[in-house]
Amino acid sequence: MKTQFTVLLLLISFSIQSQNYKFGKVSEEELAQTFDSNDSTIGAIMLYRKHRVDFEYRENNGGFMQKVEVHQRIKILNKEGLKWATNKVRLYNRSNASSERFQSLKGYTFNLVDGDVTKDKLKNDGVFDEEANKYWRYKSFTMPNVKVGSIVEFTYEILSPFIQIDEIDIQTSIPTKVFELKVSTPEYFVYNKLLNPRASYIPKLDVSSSNVTIPFSYSLDVISADLKDVPALKDEPFVNNIDNYKSKLIMELSMTRMPRSNLEYYSTSWDKVTERIYQNPDFGDQLDKSSYYKDDVDAILAGVTDPIEKSFLIFNYVKSKINWNDFYGYTSENGARKAYKDGVGNVADINLMLISMLRYAGLRANPVLVSTKNNGIPLFPTRQGFDYVICMIENEGFNVLLDATEDYSTYNVLPTRVLNWQGRVIRENGSSAWINLSPSSLSTDVTSLNVKINPDLTIEGKVRQQKTDYVAMNYRNRYANLSTDEHIKSIERNNGELEIMDIEIENNKDYTKPLKLTYDYNLADGIEEIGENLYFSPMLFFASEENPFKQETRNFPIDLTYPFSDKYMINIMIPEGYAIESLPQSEKIQFNDAGDFTYLAKQNGSFLQLTVSLNMKTSIILAQDYETFKGFYSKVIEKQSEKIVLKKI
């Protein structure tokens, strides 16, 4: 795929090469410079960015320490760009010996006031610490006195005991005028180097070597780049994770070759990765422990022999017993036993406990390692490629995926954050394999709409809806805990002069059954009267008014999350004294073999009957099919907006 990004052009007369990027030396000319952009969504520009990785030998720390140095200078162009005044850095935080240190933070905000450059220093009250979980913490800082036109500049270091190098982003969501990259690694550490193959911007990197003599002699492998005008990575609607397409340098530790030691290989297969994960006490051991729940599960399953019923009872028990604390992870945070006692745990606490209970009950249940949408798609076999774990039951004639962290998820209906291509199932015999996480069946939303036109040209009627699978789960997550009044207001919102009455919901919290919704409505602005004719859209407030796919071209795949079927059955009573002047033509529109839209309209006595359905059998639309899909969806919107015309007789 070829992507074209808007590049900001410098309008003033001095060149980039003459800029002084020494920290703290921002000039009046830099503050006064303006930028031209055809894209108003660009809120800031990275004037200068440096990212440097070095390894320093420290005998008192037992060897090499990794040091990451970051320096950024950012011009704020508009209000959207003010968010670049706040930064958040993630740090590993396991123990004193294996924690990362954030150090040497300095920052200034520069403004031009009456022709003079002012300088506000970042102080301690703008720096914050946040504990994420037992593995991670965050250091965040917010620059002072930032306004449109400001330049913010900061630098900091991260000192790490690890020789694994984090992915280095080359692109950000704003353009970068100058980016200096340098990664220097001792000859003892060998890395596989990869530029993200999904990215459209592929920079040229230089590879060289140099020598170090202090505290002893060894050589360095050096990767460097001096890049100009790095384009912004511009997000698009319905992209599952834009970072999957970001230009970045990925360095996988391949092996170590220390003096007077054997070679130690780190590059591995996915089977080796899953084997190591299983051996982790916070993973595999949690599956083997049952004493803490045994009596409770025995009581729940008393007299039950059917494996499906057993799984259902255990799944519901775990959901009701343990609340999710919103933390991801494929390893237990504080141990499943403690989570069971406290009633709260992370993803692994809950789902490893679920697997353990299912195994205890005689079902063949196994963990499935997942990389969520936010974590991206791993390119190398590595433990960091996963950040989540779910459950898979593989009984004869009964294969299901489960996640007990969500109240309204059910068999093969997972939280949408998990639907990221494929997961790795680890079976009890030690084998592992990739499994598809994409939903195969259509989630349905069926609406029955009765329409009566009153003499005062208001419209009234009844709506009946039935929702299944992902449509039902999303609706429950959004509305299940709202009051009736709040629910009504949410339906009425942005739907003109619509009034909802007598709303009823069946199976609102019973995820095992389709969700059913009924209500009466009155619509005061649904009909346009011109002369003696009445004009109205038969889909009323259900019609889609705007096509979300407006771009001329598309760079990344569209992710619709899950396959779906939307169907409307509309029954319109023709008011007395009127006849049909024109009726939308019945039509079927096809999108390749992946989707179709059907519009059927007919008169049946004093009623108009319409059936309108949109079916998408795939959740992924490739970029090369965008133009065809955009045309298809435009026709869907147009068809939904077509009006029935009634004439007075």
Side-chain angles (χ1 to χ4, degrees):
M1 294 182 293
K2 183 177 180 180
T3 306
Q4 294 185 358
F5 294 90
T6 300
V7 178
L8 298 180
L9 301 177
L10 193 60
L11 292 184
I12 63 177
S13 58
F14 66 93
S15 67
I16 292 172
Q17 287 76 12
S18 66
Q19 290 270 24
N20 178 7
Y21 293 116
K22 184 176 180 181
F23 179 75
K25 300 296 182 181
V26 171
S27 66
E28 179 182 335
E29 289 79 12
E30 277 186 281
L31 282 163
Q33 64 185 292
T34 58
F35 298 89
D36 178 36
S37 172
N38 294 323
D39 188 349
S40 60
T41 64
I42 297 294
I45 180 170
M46 189 84 66
L47 299 176
Y48 174 72
R49 178 172 167 233
K50 179 174 75 173
H51 191 102
R52 181 165 181 161
V53 178
D54 295 288
F55 285 83
E56 299 177 351
Y57 187 81
R58 300 188 179 186
E59 191 167 353
N60 59 334
N61 284 95
F64 286 98
M65 296 286 289
Q66 180 185 167
K67 185 174 76 172
V68 179
E69 181 183 352
V70 173
H71 178 188
Q72 295 183 12
R73 182 180 293 182
I74 305 166
K75 172 81 172 183
I76 308 300
L77 301 180
N78 54 42
K79 289 183 178 180
E80 176 67 21
L82 293 173
K83 63 186 179 184
W84 283 87
T86 297
N87 284 266
K88 192 172 187 177
V89 181
R90 190 177 77 157
L91 303 165
Y92 191 77
N93 188 37
R94 182 60 169 163
S95 65
N96 289 335
S98 60
S99 290
E100 295 175 326
R101 296 208 306 268
F102 183 89
Q103 61 187 30
S104 304
L105 172 65
K106 295 183 291 185
Y108 294 100
T109 300
F110 300 88
N111 289 294
L112 193 60
V113 180
D114 298 329
D116 295 324
V117 177
T118 64
K119 186 175 178 179
D120 292 280
K121 183 179 180 180
L122 174 63
K123 297 180 180 178
N124 288 338
D125 60 1
V127 183
F128 310 95
D129 290 294
E130 176 188 344
E131 295 290 334
N133 53 39
K134 71 177 183 179
Y135 297 107
W136 298 101
R137 64 186 177 92
Y138 294 97
K139 178 75 74 171
S140 60
F141 54 93
T142 299
M143 305 299 294
N145 195 26
V146 178
K147 59 191 74 174
V148 173
S150 298
I151 290 177
V152 297
E153 183 174 39
F154 54 84
T155 181
Y156 61 83
E157 295 176 351
I158 299 172
L159 198 62
S160 173
F162 305 112
I163 58 177
Q164 291 88 354
I165 298 174
D166 289 341
E167 294 179 355
I168 300 173
D169 292 340
I170 295 171
Q171 280 182 301
T172 70
S173 61
I174 59 175
T176 300
K177 300 304 293 182
V178 176
F179 179 33
E180 295 179 3
L181 170 68
K182 189 174 183 180
V183 181
S184 303
T185 57
E187 61 180 285
Y188 313 115
F189 310 146
V190 180
Y191 298 86
N192 293 324
K193 307 164 189 70
L194 176 70
L195 288 168
N196 183 11
R198 293 184 176 88
S200 57
Y201 174 74
I202 306 295
K204 182 181 182 302
L205 303 180
D206 297 319
V207 179
S208 61
S209 62
S210 62
N211 294 312
V212 175
T213 57
I214 298 175
F216 51 86
S217 296
Y218 60 91
S219 65
L220 293 174
D221 298 315
V222 181
I223 297 176
S224 61
D226 186 5
L227 305 176
K228 304 291 191 295
D229 292 326
V230 178
L233 179 67
K234 187 170 173 55
D235 204 354
E236 296 178 336
F238 299 94
V239 173
N240 65 353
N241 182 359
I242 192 63
D243 284 350
N244 286 335
Y245 308 100
K246 180 184 292 183
S247 181
K248 54 188 172 183
L249 173 63
I250 305 162
M251 298 190 65
E252 180 208 24
L253 183 63
S254 172
M255 68 176 179
T256 57
R257 47 187 182 195
M258 305 302 292
R260 298 179 296 278
S261 298
N262 294 328
L263 296 179
E264 184 171 355
Y265 293 93
Y266 289 84
S267 290
T268 184
S269 65
W270 284 112
D271 281 329
K272 287 293 184 183
V273 167
T274 53
E275 180 182 338
R276 289 175 183 169
I277 290 174
Y278 207 97
Q279 292 169 354
N280 187 327
D282 289 331
F283 187 90
D285 286 0
Q286 307 305 312
L287 300 172
D288 297 331
K289 297 174 181 177
S290 61
S291 59
Y292 66 93
Y293 63 69
K294 180 179 177 181
D295 291 343
D296 294 332
V297 172
D298 285 344
I300 293 167
L301 300 182
V304 178
T305 58
D306 179 66
I308 297 178
E309 187 178 354
K310 285 183 178 180
S311 70
F312 177 77
L313 291 171
I314 290 173
F315 185 47
N316 278 292
Y317 178 65
V318 173
K319 279 188 175 188
S320 64
K321 178 71 176 175
I322 315 297
N323 292 319
W324 181 39
N325 61 13
D326 293 332
F327 290 150
Y328 289 12
Y330 61 76
T331 55
S332 177
E333 187 172 2
N334 294 309
R337 181 190 298 272
K338 189 174 190 310
Y340 188 79
K341 178 183 177 182
D342 295 344
V344 63
N346 74 347
V347 165
D349 289 325
I350 294 171
N351 285 330
L352 295 179
M353 181 193 305
L354 171 66
I355 296 164
S356 177
M357 288 184 181
L358 291 169
R359 287 181 175 181
Y360 175 77
L363 284 86
R364 201 168 78 185
N366 292 306
V368 179
L369 295 165
V370 174
S371 175
T372 61
K373 290 186 174 184
N374 287 339
N375 197 52
I377 296 172
L379 300 176
F380 286 121
T382 170
R383 281 175 284 183
Q384 285 71 39
F386 301 114
D387 68 332
Y388 206 95
V389 62
I390 60 174
C391 167
M392 183 177 187
I393 300 177
E394 296 182 283
N395 270 38
E396 186 175 350
F398 179 51
N399 288 359
V400 296
L401 296 172
L402 298 172
D403 184 342
T405 65
E406 286 279 349
D407 288 340
Y408 306 118
S409 66
T410 183
Y411 291 13
N412 291 328
V413 179
L414 304 169
T416 54
R417 58 180 173 267
V418 174
L419 304 181
N420 193 26
W421 187 32
Q422 59 184 4
R424 188 87 181 178
V425 60
I426 310 177
R427 299 187 172 93
E428 284 187 277
N429 62 8
S431 67
S432 66
W434 291 111
I435 62 164
N436 185 18
L437 297 175
S438 301
S440 56
S441 59
L442 273 63
S443 296
T444 64
D445 194 349
V446 179
T447 300
S448 173
L449 174 63
N450 291 331
V451 179
K452 178 186 176 184
I453 300 173
N454 297 317
D456 62 357
L457 301 186
T458 60
I459 301 174
E460 65 179 50
K462 181 178 284 291
V463 172
R464 296 180 178 87
Q465 292 183 302
Q466 179 169 294
K467 305 172 187 290
T468 68
D469 295 351
Y470 283 96
V471 176
M473 182 179 72
N474 291 341
Y475 200 92
R476 288 183 175 107
N477 283 332
R478 184 176 179 183
Y479 295 112
N481 295 317
L482 293 183
S483 67
T484 300
D485 286 344
E486 290 172 328
H487 195 169
I488 288 174
K489 287 178 181 178
S490 69
I491 299 174
E492 293 175 340
R493 192 176 296 121
N494 300 322
N495 277 319
E497 297 181 41
L498 174 68
E499 182 182 2
I500 301 298
M501 301 151 289
D502 300 328
I503 190 169
E504 295 181 5
I505 308 175
E506 292 182 48
N507 310 322
N508 191 26
K509 297 189 177 183
D510 186 354
Y511 64 85
T512 64
K513 299 176 182 177
L515 184 142
K516 296 181 180 180
L517 178 68
T518 62
Y519 55 84
D520 296 328
Y521 71 90
N522 186 284
L523 183 63
D525 59 352
I527 291 182
E528 185 179 11
E529 184 178 22
I530 302 176
E532 294 189 335
N533 290 345
L534 305 181
Y535 297 77
F536 65 98
S537 168
M539 292 190 66
L540 302 181
F541 47 91
F542 288 106
S544 300
E545 297 181 352
E546 188 175 2
N547 188 348
F549 307 105
K550 299 177 181 178
Q551 302 160 275
E552 289 299 318
T553 59
R554 178 89 184 188
N555 300 305
F556 311 121
I558 295 170
D559 183 4
L560 301 174
T561 308
Y562 48 82
F564 64 87
S565 174
D566 288 346
K567 185 175 183 180
Y568 297 88
M569 296 176 292
I570 306 167
N571 199 38
I572 303 169
M573 180 185 297
I574 301 173
E576 187 175 345
Y578 284 88
I580 297 174
E581 173 71 11
S582 67
L583 192 63
Q585 185 177 354
S586 296
E587 187 176 1
K588 183 170 184 177
I589 308 168
Q590 196 76 29
F591 168 62
N592 300 339
D593 294 326
D596 61 76
F597 176 77
T598 303
Y599 192 106
L600 300 175
K602 65 178 182 179
Q603 182 177 359
N604 186 4
S606 59
F607 289 90
L608 288 174
Q609 295 175 334
L610 296 92
T611 302
V612 182
S613 63
L614 172 63
N615 301 306
M616 291 301 303
K617 292 178 281 188
T618 181
S619 60
I620 301 295
I621 311 297
L622 299 179
Q624 56 262 38
D625 294 325
Y626 174 68
E627 187 174 351
T628 304
F629 181 73
K630 179 183 176 182
F632 165 77
Y633 210 85
S634 295
K635 291 178 182 177
V636 170
I637 301 296
E638 291 172 10
K639 199 67 184 176
Q640 288 186 356
S641 301
E642 286 187 7
K643 296 185 183 297
I644 293 173
V645 182
L646 301 180
K647 66 179 180 180
K648 200 165 189 178
I649 55 176

